[in-house]
Amino acid sequence: MSRLDTETKRKLREMNAGELLEAIDTQDETLSISLPFEDRLRLVVDDAYASFTHAKVTGLIRRAGLRYPNADLRRIDLLDERGLDRPLLSQLGTCSFVARQQNVVFQGFTGSGKSYLGCAIAKRACEHRIRAHYVRMPDLEEAWVAAQDTLGGSGKFLRKYAAFTLLVIDEWLLDRPTESMRTMLLELMERRYGETSTVFCTQYSQKDWHQRLGSGVHADAIMDRIIHNTIWVETGNYNMREHTALATA
């Protein structure tokens, strides 16, 4: 228990130094009383910083809206059976691709774990204190339609989704985008190009994208802003949903 007076504690709270105050209050004086002032201060700051970082990371993960908030790249099941590239996943876990403004595509059959991997990448980014967000493409389209019914909504929508340092778009091209959606995707990818990173989770291989994007100039322009600076990860055809169901039966 610290010997700080009430006024000092009030000032610390007013300065938003709650973590520091808590660290001072919980410092074990029996163990630290014999330490020099500098060492005691260092221990308090270390504890306060750990609490601050944990709270920040927890907040980033919560606001990322992950479909699988407990996803973890370090706990991927059946790596060998699924043909997943272990070194590549480890590299992605460093989030160095975000610093290089690269994109990532997880492509594979239904149930092969694309969504889980996308969430695991986003969660890892949050742990690196990177602002990430997860959205399904059908939900993205629904939000875009709603935004157009509001004055200034389209611009606000684009600014929001362009601002995420890492954006995970799940179920990419599950449905063929409307003309309005294609126009939005082109503008969104233009704003994100060379500035941020986007993760696409899709069952469609690259050769199918152009047709599903409408086969026109919008398709050309959208793909041009995605495919040239992208890490492609094949998730195979091993159905993890079926595996999980059988394991728990």
Side-chain angles (χ1 to χ4, degrees):
M1 180 66 67
S2 73
R3 299 177 182 177
L4 293 180
D5 59 84
T6 302
E7 179 62 10
T8 300
K9 290 182 177 181
R10 183 194 66 77
K11 290 176 180 177
L12 284 169
R13 293 192 185 96
E14 188 175 328
M15 293 187 296
N16 294 320
E19 292 88 358
L20 183 60
L21 176 57
E22 183 179 353
I24 293 172
D25 276 339
T26 58
Q27 188 176 63
D28 191 333
E29 291 195 358
T30 303
L31 298 177
S32 62
I33 192 67
S34 61
L35 296 176
F37 172 77
E38 292 81 0
D39 289 343
R40 292 189 67 178
L41 180 61
R42 177 179 55 79
L43 290 174
V44 166
V45 171
D46 285 348
D47 287 346
Y49 184 75
S51 296
F52 170 78
T53 302
H54 176 73
K56 187 173 182 63
V57 168
T58 300
L60 285 170
I61 293 173
R62 183 181 66 254
R63 290 189 293 275
L66 304 181
R67 181 176 181 179
Y68 301 109
N70 294 322
D72 193 332
L73 275 180
R74 295 160 293 192
R75 296 185 176 88
I76 302 296
D77 293 334
L78 304 177
L79 275 168
D80 296 330
E81 291 89 335
R82 297 162 68 184
L84 293 173
D85 188 330
R86 189 186 303 264
L88 178 55
L89 291 181
S90 297
Q91 178 189 353
L92 292 175
T94 68
C95 293
S96 58
F97 73 95
V98 179
R100 295 192 295 268
Q101 295 84 47
Q102 289 180 289
N103 301 316
V104 177
V105 173
F106 289 114
Q107 189 272 317
F109 284 76
T110 298
S112 60
K114 304 180 295 294
S115 301
Y116 184 96
L117 288 167
C119 289
I121 287 288
K123 183 178 179 181
R124 197 79 179 112
C126 292
E127 291 169 352
H128 282 79
R129 297 174 68 174
I130 295 169
R131 188 167 176 242
H133 187 72
Y134 167 95
V135 64
R136 296 170 58 248
M137 192 164 177
D139 294 333
L140 187 68
E141 182 166 14
E142 184 177 327
W144 169 242
V145 171
Q148 294 175 89
D149 292 333
T150 306
L151 182 64
S154 298
K156 184 177 180 180
F157 174 96
L158 287 166
R159 287 191 296 274
K160 172 184 175 179
Y161 285 98
F164 293 114
T165 307
L166 178 65
L167 177 64
V168 178
I169 304 179
D170 196 4
E171 299 179 7
W172 171 249
L173 301 182
L174 179 64
D175 299 313
R176 296 176 187 268
T178 62
E179 182 178 353
S180 173
M181 186 70 171
R182 290 195 296 270
T183 300
M184 181 279 290
L185 288 173
L186 174 56
E187 180 62 26
L188 180 60
M189 293 303 115
E190 168 63 23
R191 295 189 183 200
R192 295 186 61 78
Y193 180 76
E195 300 290 335
T196 58
S197 295
T198 308
V199 174
F200 303 89
C201 305
T202 181
Q203 60 181 296
Y204 293 100
S205 59
Q206 182 182 329
K207 64 181 178 61
D208 299 319
W209 285 22
H210 194 267
Q211 181 184 18
R212 297 198 67 78
L213 284 166
S215 301
V217 292
H218 279 95
D220 293 335
I222 293 168
M223 291 188 66
D224 188 58
R225 287 159 176 77
I226 297 175
I227 65 175
H228 300 303
N229 192 32
T230 294
I231 300 169
W232 299 81
V233 183
E234 297 290 334
T235 61
N237 57 10
Y238 195 101
N239 195 314
M240 289 303 297
R241 291 197 187 95
E242 181 179 350
H243 168 77
T244 302
L246 290 173
T248 56

